[in-house]
Amino acid sequence: MHITSHDVLIVTDVQNDFCERGALAVPDGDSVIEPIHKIAHLFEHVVQTQDWHPPDHLSFASSHPGKKPFDEIELSYGKQTLWPDHCIQGSMGVNFHPALRLTRTQMILRKGFRSSIDSYSAFFENDHKTQTGLASYLKERGLTRIFLVGLAYDFCVGYSALDARRLGLPAVIIRDACRAIDTNGSLEWMEKRFAEAGVDVVNSEDLSN
Ligand code: VGL
Ligand code: ZN
């Protein structure tokens, strides 16, 4: 697969809280850093996303007395998995992993900053209506195909890919540069949606200039 100047690499949520010893550590999460470094140089354009929650965020189990992390509840906009407190604005956990070295990042997109709505996707919040601004940004910049890496494969990476398809953009996930949370059947569910939506899943060795 040839990477061109109309492609963009979206490096999703490679933050301390999703890595080893983090508040919502994704199994083997740190391992995405090495493959990301290997492929980043193929891309002229890189965007990073950053999960960025206020301390009273509705996605935290701590905001729902009697509930525990990884429980699922029904909210006004649909099903919501509850998480341990993570990626709190101004904390250490919200920062990008210190080993991540990306010189080509052109924009950092923060998401999940409204207390009452979660935002997995880089394009839409979890009501699937509220836009983050990324779609317009990519359009203005002439970036027409997205490649996704990072954390977590079955949440933020996955929903971003599905939303890209909904917007008519080709979406390619680089599987070996992602790790999954895999809770309540999330991994299997997401891979079914990828097949339906036409999300491409490749490995980093399939890419070149
Ligand atoms: C994520 C759960 C909660 C992710 C973010 O980055 O995949 N997952 N917040
Ligand atoms: Zn989050």
Side-chain angles (χ1 to χ4, degrees), residues 154-170:
D154 48 345
F155 284 92
C156 291
V157 173
Y159 281 103
S160 296
L162 294 179
D163 279 344
R165 297 299 302 127
R166 200 150 67 91
L167 293 165
L169 295 171

Side-chain angles (χ1 to χ4, degrees), residues 148 153 173-180 187 191 201-204:
L148 294 136
Y153 177 71
I173 295 182
I174 306 166
R175 183 65 184 93
D176 56 317
C178 300
R179 291 295 182 279
L187 181 55
E191 290 192 320
V201 181
V202 305
N203 277 314
S204 49

Side-chain angles (χ1 to χ4, degrees), residues 14 29 33 39 42 44 65 68 84 86 88 98-100 106 120 132 135 139 158 161 163 179 182-183 193 203:
V14 184
I33 295 171
I39 55 153
L42 297 170
E44 203 176 308
K68 14 179 235 319
H86 66 277
I88 294 178
L100 187 68
Q106 296 170 343
Y120 296 144
T132 64
K139 194 165 180 196
D163 279 344
R179 291 295 182 279
D182 197 7
T183 177
R193 302 290 91 70
N203 277 314

